[in-house]
Amino acid sequence: MSRHDPQPGSAGDVLTLISAGSATTRSDLARLTGLARSTISQRVDALIERGLVEETESGESTGGRPPRQLRLHTEDHAFAGVDLGATHCRVALMDISGDVLAECEDALLIGEGPEKVLAHVDQRLDHLLGRAGRPRSALRAVGIGVPGPVEFATGRPNNPPIMPGWNDYPVPDYFEGVEVLVDNDVNVMALGEHREAFADTKHLLFVKVGTGIGCGIMAEGKLHRGAQGSAGDIGHIRVSGHEDAGCRCGNSACLEAVAGGAAIARRLTELGLAAETGADVVALVQSGNTQALRLVRRPAGSSARCWPAWSTSSTPKSS
């Protein structure tokens, strides 16, 4: 969720090479980046001064002075990823190498509003830091994905259809002393999928089918949010022939109201099955319930063939 990818040869690029294990010495960095040793020294010294990298004399000598080894200084630097869905809150605490230190998941309604939801997130951050044995001061950054359009530059939700009370709320301002980046949850998933699994792919569409439906768009290798953060908001595209399907956004015949998890759960309830959420739909599908299987495989309409991919109650593993 970074605002900018590190430029080749920048301090961020050097940090990425050290983090990935691609470079463990200044010589490695000079070889991989093509930069002069004096420039590399400037980059490394800046990272050491910021407390992000440390250097130790633990390398094996090849006849001269043993090379000094570079490694991330993970002890005092942690960051958190927060996944807020319509009905859940997932929080993971990681060190700067990307290793997960602690994580948790709770049922939480996004409709309860920003103050209550963000207070819960703040409490869970303290809880996870305690489990990991890290002080609050070690938390450097928090990335938050929300189920609605976001003005990324400010981290403010932009008229999110299923998030009452969140419009234009300054989410980053809620958390003091830490950098906070906020984006649409599917944008975050698309970015993660692209970087981890399809880095060489220029164009990628990542479709999430949960309580609602959304799409993350990678075009020319870059995340495409649109002018108002709504580029992939496909869940509220109108589906002909379903005018009786009311949507939480106030309109009717939205794709989400026809094929989303909440819509399928309602239809299963009408059939006498216990299904209140998308997670309940997943459980019924995984148990082999024929009615649930039929509903999730049914096309949304003759003009829009859409089979929701209900395979797990959590977000895709590669995201």
Side-chain angles (χ1 to χ4, degrees):
M1 290 182 67
S2 60
R3 298 187 189 279
H4 305 285
D5 288 331
Q7 295 298 314
S10 66
D13 185 38
V14 169
L15 184 64
T16 299
L17 291 171
I18 296 172
S19 175
S22 302
T24 59
T25 66
R26 298 188 186 217
S27 296
D28 290 341
L29 290 169
R31 174 175 52 81
L32 291 171
T33 64
L35 296 175
R37 292 183 67 87
S38 59
T39 304
I40 289 297
S41 291
Q42 292 176 357
R43 302 285 192 270
V44 172
D45 290 345
L47 293 171
I48 292 174
E49 185 177 349
R50 292 287 298 272
L52 296 171
V53 169
E54 57 186 9
E55 195 170 28
T56 61
E57 292 186 357
S58 59
E60 294 183 3
S61 174
T62 57
R65 181 179 177 181
R68 295 173 65 84
Q69 300 289 297
L70 298 168
R71 76 174 187 90
L72 295 179
H73 183 64
T74 60
E75 289 77 8
D76 298 326
H77 297 83
F79 64 95
V82 180
D83 170 30
L84 293 176
T87 60
H88 71 262
C89 169
R90 301 187 185 102
V91 184
L93 181 70
M94 294 156 278
D95 63 26
I96 57 174
S97 71
D99 289 338
V100 176
L101 303 174
E103 57 187 322
C104 63
E105 178 176 350
D106 305 302
L108 185 67
L109 298 176
I110 198 74
E112 292 184 347
E115 295 290 340
K116 186 169 183 178
V117 170
L118 296 179
H120 178 87
V121 171
D122 201 42
Q123 291 170 1
R124 299 310 272 166
L125 289 173
D126 281 335
H127 172 69
L128 294 180
L129 285 164
R131 282 174 50 188
R134 306 291 173 96
R136 182 71 183 223
S137 60
L139 184 64
R140 306 295 176 143
V142 179
I144 303 177
V146 300
V150 174
E151 183 183 59
F152 184 66
T154 65
R156 295 170 179 255
N158 183 22
N159 293 310
I162 67 168
M163 298 170 63
W166 287 80
N167 182 46
D168 204 36
Y169 187 88
V171 177
D173 294 349
Y174 188 91
F175 303 90
E176 297 182 357
V178 61
E179 182 177 7
V180 178
L181 300 179
V182 186
D183 203 350
N184 175 266
D185 56 358
V186 192
N187 284 343
V188 179
M189 294 178 187
L191 192 61
E193 188 78 1
H194 182 262
R195 289 185 175 179
E196 294 299 318
F198 299 98
D200 297 328
T201 301
K202 287 187 175 181
H203 309 293
L204 179 147
L205 296 178
F206 185 101
V207 178
K208 174 195 174 186
V209 184
T211 300
I213 297 176
C215 177
I217 303 170
M218 300 295 298
E220 293 294 341
K222 296 181 179 179
L223 185 62
H224 182 64
R225 296 183 175 89
Q228 298 179 329
S230 304
D233 202 15
I234 64 172
H236 300 281
I237 293 176
R238 191 175 180 81
V239 180
S240 62
H242 293 274
E243 285 69 24
D244 59 337
C247 184
R248 292 172 296 174
C249 71
N251 295 322
S252 60
C254 293
L255 178 62
E256 179 177 304
V258 176
I264 294 175
R266 283 195 299 272
R267 287 199 286 275
L268 288 172
T269 299
E270 293 169 358
L271 293 173
L273 297 171
E276 297 182 2
T277 67
D280 294 330
V281 176
V282 171
L284 287 168
V285 168
Q286 291 179 333
S287 69
N289 183 277
T290 56
Q291 292 172 310
L293 287 166
R294 177 176 56 82
L295 284 177
V296 300
R297 289 171 176 165
R298 189 176 68 181
S302 58
S303 62
R305 298 184 63 81
C306 175
W307 288 267
W310 296 102
S311 60
T312 174
S313 60
S314 63
T315 53
K317 292 181 180 179
S318 57
S319 300

